[in-house]
Amino acid sequence: MSVSISWRSTFLLAGIWGIITFYYVWRWIPQVPGLPDTGFKEQFRFLKSPAPWLILLATMLGNGGAFSFYSYVNPLLTQVAGFAPEHITILIVLAGFGMVVGNLTSGKLSDRYSPGLVAAFSQGTICLVLLALFFLAGIPWMAILLMCICTTGLFAVSTPQQVLIIRHAPGGQLLGAASIQVAFNLGNAIGAYAGGLLLEAGKGYEYPALVVVPFAFCGFMVLIWFHRKYEKGVRG
């Protein structure tokens, strides 16, 4: 049985959720001092080092891998896994719950261990999950489980990457923070495009997960390389 609500109710719920979010940001996010003004040119100086480029590359490749699958998750769940359309909303909520868990967990792990290693582990998990999705998406409970693990890994890898870009962008933290968002979104676009090419060729909705396994694996290898070069023997 499906339930319909008006657009006003949707906006009301979004507003209430925004107030709750504001409260917890105010409650949990600590006050930090403002960044010193280093000037326009100094914002770009950190790009002379290979470290931030490795972080940005890994971010783009990793997001490309995960979003190729996630961009088409709705038809995957309905046409491959066999779920009814009215069940999709709750399934997407479960996927969102995985994102929250991944974000919080990897943040805490990045405080204890090297963020690059945390990101690499998360990215390696995404590689395996994408491969498993291609073969097992037709089994409903496996499709749900793997979707949630993938979304958990997606946000588990993004948190330490954002920590890393700030650490390796001295004097250019603002540009570094903006650059990694560009890398996230570029990866999203490339992944969705790559998955769409297979769908246009007549392949099934499980194929977007397969085509970007090399993307995700390359992102994993870049993070391993980064960890060995810049974090060996260094704790988070």
Side-chain angles (χ1 to χ4, degrees), residues 22-222:
F22 174 82
Y23 170 76
Y24 281 107
V25 168
W26 171 77
R27 184 75 173 79
W28 288 349
I29 304 299
Q31 293 290 332
V32 294
L35 295 172
D37 185 3
T38 57
F40 181 75
K41 290 184 178 180
E42 287 296 317
Q43 284 287 319
F44 294 86
R45 188 176 296 276
F46 76 95
L47 292 173
K48 294 180 179 181
S49 167
W53 291 105
L54 291 175
I55 298 167
L56 295 173
L57 179 61
T59 300
M60 183 189 70
L61 291 170
N63 262 45
F67 268 85
S68 179
F69 145 72
Y70 196 66
S71 296
Y72 306 100
V73 68
N74 190 322
L76 176 79
L77 292 173
T78 55
Q79 299 186 32
V80 179
F83 288 98
E86 56 266 26
H87 296 153
I88 297 302
T89 299
I90 188 63
L91 295 179
I92 297 302
V93 170
L94 290 176
F97 179 74
M99 295 176 184
V100 174
V101 171
N103 199 359
L104 294 175
T105 303
S106 68
K108 292 182 180 297
L109 290 175
S110 294
D111 288 336
R112 294 188 59 185
Y113 306 102
S114 302
L117 190 60
V118 175
F121 177 81
S122 301
Q123 187 63 63
T125 301
I126 290 174
C127 290
L128 297 176
V129 170
L130 290 173
L131 193 60
L133 272 165
F134 174 73
F135 292 104
L136 303 175
I139 305 173
W141 71 269
M142 284 297 298
I144 297 174
L145 177 63
L146 292 170
M147 175 189 68
C148 291
I149 295 175
C150 188
T151 55
T152 300
L154 173 62
F155 274 66
V157 75
S158 64
T159 299
Q161 285 171 341
Q162 292 182 82
V163 171
L164 288 172
I165 196 66
I166 296 299
R167 288 184 180 179
H168 290 271
Q173 290 90 340
L174 292 177
L175 181 61
S179 297
I180 202 164
Q181 297 306 317
V182 172
F184 280 130
N185 290 316
L186 184 59
N188 298 350
I190 292 173
Y193 177 74
L197 289 177
L198 285 182
L199 297 180
E200 287 185 351
K203 300 296 184 181
Y205 283 101
E206 66 273 25
Y207 275 84
L210 179 66
V211 71
V212 287
V213 169
F215 285 57
F217 181 75
C218 288
F220 167 73
M221 294 304 298
V222 171

